[in-house]
Amino acid sequence: MKIAIVEDDINMRKSLEIAMGDFEQYDVHTFKNARDALKKLDDTFDLIISDINMPGMDGIEFVKTLGGKYEVIIITGNATLTRAIESIQLGVKDFLLKPFEIETLIAAIERSATVVHKTPKTGAAKTEGGESFLGTSPALEKLLERLAKAAATDASIMLLGESGVGKEVLARHIHHSSPRASKPFVAINMAAIPDNLIESELFGFEKGAFTDAAEAKAGQFELAEGGTLFLDEIGEMPYSLQAKLLRVLQEREIRRLGSSKNTKIDVRIITATNADLSRKIGEGGFREDLYYRLNTIPLLIPPLRERREEILPIAEAALERYCARYGFESKTFSPEAKAALENYTWPGNIRELISVVERSAILSDGNRIGAEELFLEARGLGRI
């Protein structure tokens, strides 16, 4: 994947270039401003990662100039609600607030080209790009029926399931199937943010609220106004903040750090966890009243090993995408490779399957991928 990073801060630009250099699948090119980038961009680029606040042409004007030709991820250290909404209206799929972990950016990059299984069944879940994400196994069909009913309401939804089953993609599907589809979808991973920063990330802060607060900053609740806020790994939320989140859900208003006034919000909440929250409640690590507030509609996503009908279709769709991405001739799986894929237990679920397919597409010789080129045994996990 050929990616352009447009960032005027040289330290940030170099940091991203170095960090992404560890990922062989990305061909990264950096530019110090939008005008320099426009001189070099051509049809070979797949994705643009751009700051908003830049001298000359800012990120919003840059996105307008691109005219929807490229997928765009916006990164900024000074988000405002107006600018976030404006970028989303221009078709920007992800809006990341600095500082962020490189894993957060990589996840956003992967979302820009989500691997999906195309299927004619009407019950299949859809991404915002219009392609099916999951197959139509009996276990999944029941889930999608409940999901369709839940999407039409504003009830809080809790997505349950193992890591890698696709909780965030289903959360996006719920949003895009709901009356809030034209408004922002904002995702935040509780486990990826230091405890001392979660409050300011969620609720924002005013100028001077603390030592480094040189300017006011909107929180995730404000950025999601009118739309959906997805709180992933909700079980990792510090206990000290859970009471504040409960009050926000009850009163439908937030207060920025350092502010003396409350701001009304209209946001639909979807949470996800692979933790045993009942155990956490019993151990005093999670509030029972918050749990019931968030768990109005629980949806358990079955693991891939319980949806074996989907393994080959997803793998084949992923293989097709990666061959196209890397400019390879079309490849197929041998009968032995197909059997190995179907007989593996997939402890990492769909996320692991996609990783295995990408690796085999890159490392295999010829146009047919054999069982040994899946390298499943080297993983040391999940064989049956």
Side-chain angles (χ1 to χ4, degrees):
M1 176 182 273
K2 192 172 181 180
I3 300 174
I5 297 176
V6 187
E7 168 65 70
D8 64 309
D9 185 307
I10 186 171
N11 292 327
M12 185 66 175
R13 190 168 67 246
K14 288 296 183 182
S15 295
L16 289 175
E17 185 177 18
I18 292 170
M20 293 183 66
D22 292 335
F23 297 84
E24 295 181 356
Q25 65 268 41
Y26 302 135
D27 177 16
V28 177
H29 299 254
T30 62
F31 304 93
K32 64 182 178 180
N33 58 55
R35 297 195 186 282
D36 280 359
L38 288 171
K39 294 176 183 178
K40 299 287 187 179
L41 291 177
D42 55 33
D43 291 340
T44 64
F45 282 89
D46 302 295
L47 176 69
I48 313 296
I49 300 171
S50 176
D51 192 10
I52 282 188
N53 298 315
M54 297 184 290
M57 180 184 293
D58 70 10
I60 297 298
E61 287 303 315
F62 179 45
V63 173
K64 290 179 180 178
T65 303
L66 294 175
K69 187 176 180 179
Y70 306 96
E71 291 289 317
V72 179
I73 295 172
I74 288 291
I75 57 175
T76 181
N78 185 24
T80 65
L81 177 60
T82 301
R83 306 209 89 186
I85 291 176
E86 187 175 4
S87 68
I88 290 169
Q89 290 173 339
L90 290 171
V92 173
K93 294 296 192 301
D94 272 286
F95 191 97
L96 304 183
L97 301 180
K98 303 175 188 175
F100 51 79
E101 299 291 334
I102 188 62
E103 290 80 7
T104 301
L105 178 59
I106 297 303
I109 292 171
E110 287 304 305
R111 285 196 297 269
S112 73
T114 304
V115 173
V116 293
H117 160 41
K118 296 180 180 179
T119 172
K121 297 291 185 68
T122 58
K126 302 286 182 178
T127 67
E128 60 271 31
E131 296 174 297
S132 303
F133 157 69
L134 300 170
T136 53
S137 62
L140 192 64
E141 285 295 334
K142 294 179 180 179
L143 170 67
L144 295 177
E145 289 175 6
R146 294 194 294 271
L147 185 148
K149 295 177 182 178
T153 74
D154 267 345
S156 296
I157 295 174
M158 182 174 287
L159 300 175
L160 307 168
E162 298 175 4
S163 178
V165 293
K167 293 188 283 293
E168 181 170 343
V169 177
L170 274 179
R172 288 176 179 272
H173 170 63
I174 293 169
H175 170 73
H176 288 283
S177 302
S178 76
R180 297 176 178 268
S182 63
K183 300 297 184 179
F185 175 90
V186 176
I188 182 170
N189 189 322
M190 296 288 110
I193 302 174
D195 289 358
N196 62 331
L197 294 180
I198 289 180
E199 184 172 7
S200 62
E201 285 294 322
L202 285 176
F203 308 118
F205 54 81
E206 296 294 344
K207 181 178 179 180
F210 46 85
T211 303
D212 295 326
E215 297 183 44
K217 178 180 175 181
Q220 302 288 342
F221 272 97
E222 290 179 82
L223 294 175
E225 176 63 23
T228 301
L229 178 61
F230 175 56
L231 302 177
D232 198 5
E233 302 294 354
I234 188 64
E236 302 301 316
M237 187 176 203
Y239 192 86
S240 59
L241 284 181
Q242 292 176 24
K244 187 166 186 177
L245 176 59
L246 179 62
R247 178 173 175 78
V248 169
L249 297 176
Q250 292 172 336
E251 305 298 329
R252 293 290 169 179
E253 60 184 23
I254 59 103
R255 179 181 294 185
R256 289 185 180 182
L257 292 178
S259 176
S260 59
K261 66 176 184 178
N262 294 334
T263 300
K264 287 291 184 181
I265 58 165
D266 175 23
V267 176
R268 199 247 184 94
I269 302 296
I270 300 176
T271 56
T273 183
N274 57 15
D276 183 349
L277 291 187
S278 297
R279 180 181 59 78
K280 277 184 169 283
I281 291 171
E283 295 173 350
F286 202 85
R287 292 181 64 104
E288 187 173 17
D289 47 3
L290 177 60
Y291 172 76
Y292 289 122
R293 172 67 73 167
L294 296 173
N295 197 36
T296 303
I297 301 178
L299 295 173
L300 177 62
I301 306 172
L304 189 57
R305 62 182 174 275
E306 295 179 10
R307 305 178 349 235
R308 293 191 178 275
E309 304 95 323
E310 300 175 41
I311 293 173
L312 286 183
I314 292 175
E316 288 169 345
L319 181 60
E320 181 181 353
R321 188 194 80 169
Y322 283 119
C323 286
R325 173 183 290 185
Y326 298 126
F328 301 153
E329 292 184 13
S330 295
K331 298 189 178 189
T332 59
F333 296 110
S334 70
E336 294 77 14
K338 291 180 180 180
L341 289 170
E342 290 184 310
N343 290 328
Y344 186 68
T345 60
W346 300 109
N349 292 290
I350 294 175
R351 184 182 297 137
E352 183 186 10
L353 173 59
I354 299 308
S355 175
V356 165
V357 172
E358 181 178 14
R359 184 179 58 247
S360 64
I362 295 171
L363 299 181
S364 60
D365 297 318
N367 296 332
R368 169 141 320 183
I369 298 173
E372 70 282 357
E373 292 173 307
L374 297 173
F375 303 104
L376 291 176
E377 293 180 356
R379 302 178 74 84
L381 293 171
R383 299 295 288 179
I384 58 174

